[in-house]
C-alpha cells in the first residue's frame, strides 16, 4: 500500500511513497503528513474470524491487510514485544466498571503509559528499515514525560539509530524523569533543559535549522528521523487495540458483533483516537468517537463550534500534562479524510498564518457525525478519581477526564469504552492528593501511600527506578544544547 499526502503534492517529492519512506521521513509536501491511499475493509467477517485470536494474531492479520513493505519476520519480532507486557497472553485488559461502562487499560507495557503500545513495535521496525538500507538515523525528541521514556526503552541498543531526548528539568514527575535518566545504552543521550516543555521544544526547533548542526550530520552521514506521534509507523499499531477492545466486549458477552459502541479517548495530539477513526472507517461498529480533554480544550471547541483558535496561545499547566496542547497535529489527517487535500492545505496554512481556522457549517456537520467532545477541569478530575476509587477502581488523571465526557455525552444504553492511558504510578502525587488530601508529596511518598490505601503493589519496574544508577545527569541551558549534542554524536 502507498501513502499520499494531506496537503497535496509539491512536485519536488514523489506523489506517493511506501510505508518505509513514510516512517523514515514523516513530513510530506507543504508540511503535511502521510496517510494511507486506501484503507482495508475489515467488516463483520474479520471480527468473526478473530473472536478467539490472540492480540498478536489480530495485529498480524490487520497489518497484513495494509500490505506494508516490511518483512513478515520483522513484523513478528515487533509484535513479540507485546509478550513483555504484564500479561503476555493479553497486553490490553478491558475491565468492566459498571453496566455499559468498560475501561481499556493501555498502560501495561514497560514504561507504564499508552505510548508503549505503538513505540515498542515501532522501534523494532524503524531500526530494521535503517539497517536494511544501511543508513544511520538520529531521532530527536522533546518530551513532556511519557514519549521520552517509551522512545528510549524501545530504541536502546537498536542498531543504526541514535536517540537524543530532551526533557524539561522541572516539568516531569519523578518517575518519568527517572525512567529517562537511568536508561543506559551507548546510543542514547538524555538532556535536562532548564525551563518548561516549551523551552525543550523550542531548543529542538532551533537545532533543526542550525547550519553547523546540519553540517555535522552530513559529515557523519547521519539522517534525521522522528518518532513523534504523527509518524504513521506509530498510528498503524494504534488501530489494533480499538478492534481488540471491541472483540473483548463481544467475548465478555457485553455486545454482539455489529452492535455500536462509544470509544472515549483522552486526547492531546490526537494519535490515539485517530487509530479509532481509522478502525471505524475500516468497518468497526462505532456510535461516536468521544474526545476528552483537560482545560486546554482546543479540541472540544473545534468539535463543538468548528473553530480552531489558538490566537491567545496560552497553554495551561494541568494535572494531565500529556494533554496540555494547543496544536494537535493528527487532527490534520481527519481534515484530509473529510474534506480532501486542497481544503486541508488551506485550513492548515490558515492556522500557521492567522492562528485560526473556521469550518463551514457543512464541514462541521461532517465532523460531528463522527466526533463529540467535552473537557474536564483538574478539580472535576480529582472528584472522578475519588468517586471511581470509592467504587474500587484506581485511575490516573488523564483517564479521569473521560468520565466527565461519559456523563455529559454518552447515551447510557450504549456501551462505552474509556481508554486508560497511564498507570497510577506515573502521576502518583496528583492521585494521592485526590485520595488522601496530601499536597505536593514526592513520588516515592505518594506511591507508598496509594499502595497502602488501595492495597495494590507498586510494580517492580517502578520501584527499581529509585535505586537505579543515574547515568544522564546533565541539566543545561537551552542555548547549550547544540554543543552538548555534537559532543554525543
Ligand atoms: C500521549 C498521552 C495522551 C494523549 O494521546 P494523543 O495520542 O496525543 O492524543 C493521553 N494520556 C497519556 C497518559 C499520554 O501519555
Amino acid at each position: 500500500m502507498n501513502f499520499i499526502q494531506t496537503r497535496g503534492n509539491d512536485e519536488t517529492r514523489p506523489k506517493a511513497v511506501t510505508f518505509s519512506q513514510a516512517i523514515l521521513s514523516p513530513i510530506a509536501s507543504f508540511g503535511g503528513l502521510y496517510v494511507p491511499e486506501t484503507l482495508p475493509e475489515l467488516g463483520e467477517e474479520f471480527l468473526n474470524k478473530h473472536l478467539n485470536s490472540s492480540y498478536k494474531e489480530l495485529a498480524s492479520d490487520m497489518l497484513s491487510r495494509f500490505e506494508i513493505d516490511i518483512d513478515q519476520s520483522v513484523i513478528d519480532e515487533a509484535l513479540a514485544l507485546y509478550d513483555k507486557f504484564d500479561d503476555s497472553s493479553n497486553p490490553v485488559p478491558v475491565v468492566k466498571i459498571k453496566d455499559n461502562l468498560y475501561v481499556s487499560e493501555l498502560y501495561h507495557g514497560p514504561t507504564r503509559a499508552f505510548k508503549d503500545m505503538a513505540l515498542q513495535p515501532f522501534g523494532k521496525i524503524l531500526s530494521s528499515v535503517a539497517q536494511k538500507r544501511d543508513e544511520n538515523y538520529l531521532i530527536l525528541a522533546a518530551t513532556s514525560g511519557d514519549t521520552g521514556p517509551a522512545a528510549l526503552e524501545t530504541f536502546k541498543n537498536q542498531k543504526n539509530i541514535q536517540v537524543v531526548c530532551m526533557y524539561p528539568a522541572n516539568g516531569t514527575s519523578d518517575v518519568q524523569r527517572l525512567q529517562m535518566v537511568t536508561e543506559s545504552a551507548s546510543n542514547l543521550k538524555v538532556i535536562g533543559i532548564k525551563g518548561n516543555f516549551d523551552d525543550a521544544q523550542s531548543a529542538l526547533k532551533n537545532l533543526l535549522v542550525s547550519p553547523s548542526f546540519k553540517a555535522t550530520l552530513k559529515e557523519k552521514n547521519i539522517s534525521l528521523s522522528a518518532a513523534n506521534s504523527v509518524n504513521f509507523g506509530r498510528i498503524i499499531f494504534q488501530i489494533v487495540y480499538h478492534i481488540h477492545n471491541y472483540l473483548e466486549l463481544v467475548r465478555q458477552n457485553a455486545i454482539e458483533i455489529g452492535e455500536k459502541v462509544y470509544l472515549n479517548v483522552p486526547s492531546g495530539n490526537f494519535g490515539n483516537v485517530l487509530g479509532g477513526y481509522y478502525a471505524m472507517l475500516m468497518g468497526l461498529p462505532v456510535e461516536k468517537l468521544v474526545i476528552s480533554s483537560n482545560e486546554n480544550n482546543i479540541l472540544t471547541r473545534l468539535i463543538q463550534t468548528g473553530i480552531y483558535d489558538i490566537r491567545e496561545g496560552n497553554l495551561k499547566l494541568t494535572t494531565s500534562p500529556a494533554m496540555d496542547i494547543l496544536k494537535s497535529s493528527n487532527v490534520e489527517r481527519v481534515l484530509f479524510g473529510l474534506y480532501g487535500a486542497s481544503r486541508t492545505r488551506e485550513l492548515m496554512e490558515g492556522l500557521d498564518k492567522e492562528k485560526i481556522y473556521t469550518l463551514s457549517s457543512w464541514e462541521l456537520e461532517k465532523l460531528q457525525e463522527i466526533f463529540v467532545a467535552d473537557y474536564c477541569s483538574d478539580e472535576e478530575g480529582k472528584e472522578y478519581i475519588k468517586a471511581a476509587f470509592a467504587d474500587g477502581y484506581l485511575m490516573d488523571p488523564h483517564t479521569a477526564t473521560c468520565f466527565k465526557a461519559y456523563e455529559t455525552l454518552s447515551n447510557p444504553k450504549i456501551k462505552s469504552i474509556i481508554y486508560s492511558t497511564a498507570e497510577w504510578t506515573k502521576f502518583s502525587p496528583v492521585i494521592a492528593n485526590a485520595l488522601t488530601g496530601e499536597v505536593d508529596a514526592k513520588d516515592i511518598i505518594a506511591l507508598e501511600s496509594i499502595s497502602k490505601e488501595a492495597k495494590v503493589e507498586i510494580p517492580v519496574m517502578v520501584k527499581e527506578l529509585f535505586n537505579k544508577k543515574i547515568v544522564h545527569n546533565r541539566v543545561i541551558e537551552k542555548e547549550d544544547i547544540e554543543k552538548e549534542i555534537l559532543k554525543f554524536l
Side-chain angles (χ1 to χ4, degrees), residues 204-485:
L204 189 135
K205 281 200 183 121
N206 291 339
L207 193 65
L208 291 177
V209 295
S210 151
S212 52
F213 178 65
K214 284 190 196 161
T216 306
L217 291 183
K218 195 159 179 206
E219 183 195 321
K220 296 190 183 289
N221 223 344
I222 300 173
S223 311
L224 277 178
S225 185
N228 55 18
S229 77
V230 297
N231 197 308
F232 201 85
R234 283 175 60 177
I235 302 295
I236 197 167
F237 290 103
Q238 289 172 189
I239 303 172
V240 181
Y241 53 74
H242 297 280
I243 305 172
H244 161 85
N245 291 339
Y246 187 90
L247 288 170
E248 275 290 308
L249 258 57
V250 178
R251 285 178 206 126
Q252 296 180 23
N253 294 318
I255 56 170
E256 302 204 359
I257 287 181
E259 195 173 329
K260 290 188 173 177
V261 298
Y262 289 103
L263 307 181
N264 184 333
V265 186
S267 296
N269 224 357
F270 221 72
N272 192 353
V273 75
L274 185 74
Y277 169 71
Y278 285 135
M280 187 176 174
L281 295 181
M282 284 153 60
L284 195 71
V286 174
E287 175 72 20
K288 293 271 187 201
L289 297 168
V290 181
I291 307 299
S292 302
S293 303
N294 61 30
E295 281 185 72
N296 295 296
N297 59 358
I298 191 80
L299 294 167
T300 312
R301 285 183 282 142
L302 172 68
I303 288 158
Q304 290 183 355
T305 68
I307 302 172
Y308 200 110
D309 183 357
I310 51 173
R311 286 173 304 178
E312 301 238 323
N314 40 16
L315 197 68
K316 295 191 187 111
L317 296 179
T318 72
T319 55
S320 44
M323 310 194 304
D324 290 349
I325 199 158
L326 291 172
K327 252 188 155 174
S328 176
S329 313
N330 276 302
V331 170
E332 176 165 353
R333 288 188 161 114
V334 175
L335 300 180
F336 172 82
L338 295 177
Y339 322 126
S342 63
R343 179 61 171 153
T344 301
R345 183 177 169 199
E346 184 176 62
L347 292 169
M348 294 310 295
E349 288 183 351
L351 187 62
D352 281 340
K353 280 198 208 92
E354 319 288 339
K355 308 280 177 237
I356 180 170
Y357 65 70
T358 305
L359 302 179
S360 70
S361 58
W362 165 85
E363 287 168 339
L364 179 58
E365 222 171 275
K366 299 250 307 186
L367 190 69
Q368 291 176 339
E369 280 170 18
I370 300 169
F371 298 97
V372 289
D374 201 355
Y375 72 99
C376 176
S377 72
D378 286 355
E379 279 308 308
E380 289 169 319
K382 239 165 82 172
E383 294 304 315
Y384 285 110
I385 291 174
K386 257 202 299 244
F389 185 67
D391 290 339
Y393 192 71
L394 182 60
M395 66 183 175
D396 99 295
H398 300 80
T399 313
T401 63
C402 298
F403 281 72
K404 166 96 177 276
Y406 168 73
E407 279 181 11
T408 58
L409 299 172
S410 307
N411 174 346
K413 293 202 184 98
I414 298 175
K415 275 38 170 207
S416 279
I417 304 172
I418 281 176
Y419 286 73
S420 184
T421 47
E423 187 177 58
W424 62 276
T425 55
K426 273 202 121 158
F427 299 95
S428 58
V430 181
I431 301 168
N433 176 255
L435 299 186
T436 68
E438 59 190 299
V439 189
D440 289 336
K442 300 286 265 176
D443 284 36
I444 187 72
I445 308 283
L447 285 167
E448 293 292 349
S449 73
I450 297 167
S451 166
K452 238 195 238 144
E453 186 82 11
K455 301 188 180 63
V456 286
E457 293 280 318
I458 304 168
V460 183
M461 66 276 257
V462 175
K463 234 177 181 165
E464 274 175 349
L465 286 172
F466 293 89
N467 301 320
K468 262 179 143 172
K469 184 162 178 270
I470 291 178
V471 284
H472 306 275
N473 42 23
R474 296 286 287 168
V475 176
I476 62 177
E477 303 285 346
K478 67 177 178 189
E479 289 71 30
D480 297 330
I481 195 89
E482 178 170 341
K483 222 169 50 197
E484 189 71 21
I485 294 179

Side-chain angles (χ1 to χ4, degrees), residues 56-57 59-61 63-64 68 70-83 121 124-125 128 237:
K56 282 192 290 181
E57 287 163 348
S60 178
D61 193 12
L63 261 79
S64 76
I68 55 178
I70 303 292
D71 294 340
Q72 188 60 40
S73 62
V74 175
I75 293 179
D76 290 342
E77 263 181 77
L79 294 177
L81 293 168
Y82 289 122
D83 293 343
K124 173 65 73 188
I125 287 189
S128 106
F237 290 103

